[in-house]
Amino acid sequence: MTIQGKIALVTGGSRGIGRAICARLGSMGCFVWVNYVSRSDAAEETIEMVRQVGGQGQAVQLDVADFNQVQDGFKDIVAESGSIDILVNNAGITRDGLVARMKEGDWDAVLDTNLKGAFSCAKAAVKPMMKKRWGRIVNISSIIGFSGNGGQVNYAAAKSGMIGLTKSLAREFASRKITVNCVAPGYIVTEMTQDLDEAVREKMLSEIPLAALGEVDDVAAAVEYLVSDRAGYVTGQTIHVNGGMYM
Ligand code: NDP
């Protein structure tokens, strides 16, 4: 089966890495549901990009941190599109701070969005995938989930958690020909990383063997492979896209 004509849903598709993934899936012939939480203008711009590369898409406003909203929203999408074949759990936030100063709400917000959100979306998406006995789930983790990072205990815990989530889902759904994999980006140029001060940026560059920050298309290329037919025998794995910063 080729992925031409498949129905894809990308959480946090309105900006950054998610937007590049939407465009890539659109160029592969998918219908792309572009999820966002607050920036409908940005989601519409993504859809325009999807159209420009020959794909089709529609925006869907859902807060992935809200379990019930996700279950109901995915049901509506399946009713309208007939299926969800490809799910990319990309939506993510940061609420950084040293543990001593981190508020409970900062922990909860990051875990609820980045980890529970991926669980809620996967739970809702596997139903139509199981019926079709075909599916692709790609979770966007992070280098921080592997290396840890002072000031990011919440983010690191959520992104490490995604690895366990991925492997367990991969085992649970392999018999239904649903593959579940991770992409773990390093430092990619997006709104999430644009406010780094110059000293931090320079230090980071000195730690990256390929001596450059990554681009959103570098991550989209890994997703492109994982959702393709060529990756049909790959499940429970992580592709690191980080310029060699973590090996
Ligand atoms: P951005 O901050 O540029 O974009 C975040 C996206 O997530 C937006 O589309 C936003 O929607 C959406 N979003 C945030 N919260 C929710 C929510 N509750 N429900 C639905 N959508 C939500 O992030 P990046 O593109 O930089 O990051 C994308 C993913 O990649 C994240 O999971 C991040 O952790 C991960 N990552 C990023 C790295 C980087 O260097 N940039 C490195 C490693 C991992 P809206 O536009 O409506 O606000």
Side-chain angles (χ1 to χ4, degrees):
M1 279 174 105
T2 95
I3 75 156
Q4 174 84 33
K6 298 276 187 211
I7 311 295
L9 190 153
V10 180
T11 68
S14 47
R15 292 185 278 123
I17 292 171
R19 171 178 283 181
I21 293 169
C22 289
R24 191 64 64 110
L25 293 173
S27 74
M28 295 169 86
C30 293
F31 183 97
V32 188
W33 286 93
V34 178
N35 163 249
Y36 68 98
V37 66
S38 59
R39 298 266 302 267
S40 60
D41 54 332
E44 290 304 327
E45 280 170 29
T46 300
I47 289 166
E48 192 44 44
M49 284 176 68
V50 169
R51 290 200 186 110
Q52 276 169 13
V53 293
Q56 285 180 285
Q58 194 170 322
V60 56
Q61 198 269 335
L62 282 177
D63 179 352
V64 298
D66 183 329
F67 179 82
N68 292 325
Q69 221 182 91
V70 168
Q71 305 312 305
D72 294 345
F74 276 47
K75 255 186 222 151
D76 292 345
I77 288 170
V78 173
E80 198 170 329
S81 291
S83 179
I84 295 173
D85 306 305
I86 296 168
L87 168 68
V88 182
N89 280 314
N90 164 81
I93 58 168
T94 51
R95 294 278 187 278
D96 297 350
L98 298 172
V99 171
R101 268 178 262 148
M102 185 175 285
K103 297 192 169 60
E104 184 187 4
D106 297 330
W107 172 272
D108 289 344
V110 170
L111 270 288
D112 284 354
T113 303
N114 299 11
L115 184 56
K116 186 179 155 197
F119 157 73
S120 303
C121 293
K123 182 176 164 68
V126 289
K127 287 176 198 156
M129 289 178 184
M130 282 196 292
K131 274 198 194 139
K132 282 186 133 178
R133 294 195 154 265
W134 193 96
R136 295 278 193 266
I137 299 177
V138 180
N139 296 321
I140 307 299
S141 176
S142 168
I143 188 172
I144 302 301
F146 291 82
S147 64
N149 198 20
Q152 288 198 304
V153 284
N154 49 0
Y155 187 77
K159 293 301 186 180
S160 294
M162 275 186 131
I163 307 303
L165 175 78
T166 298
K167 291 180 180 178
S168 304
L169 287 172
R171 288 186 187 278
E172 215 169 304
F173 295 103
S175 64
R176 310 297 180 107
K177 300 285 177 271
I178 300 168
T179 67
V180 190
N181 291 287
C182 258
V183 176
Y187 283 88
I188 309 296
V189 181
T190 68
E191 284 181 33
M192 192 179 265
T193 48
Q194 72 184 359
D195 294 332
L196 289 177
D197 73 48
E198 206 42 45
V200 174
R201 184 179 294 263
E202 284 308 314
K203 180 169 182 303
M204 207 177 282
L205 279 173
S206 73
E207 290 168 2
I208 301 174
L210 286 174
L213 298 186
E215 302 290 337
V216 290
D217 284 337
D218 295 323
V219 182
V223 175
E224 175 179 14
Y225 167 66
L226 289 172
V227 302
S228 75
D229 286 334
R230 286 170 296 152
Y233 195 56
V234 177
T235 197
Q237 306 302 314
T238 298
I239 297 183
H240 294 268
V241 180
N242 61 28
M245 191 179 185
Y246 175 90
M247 298 184 191

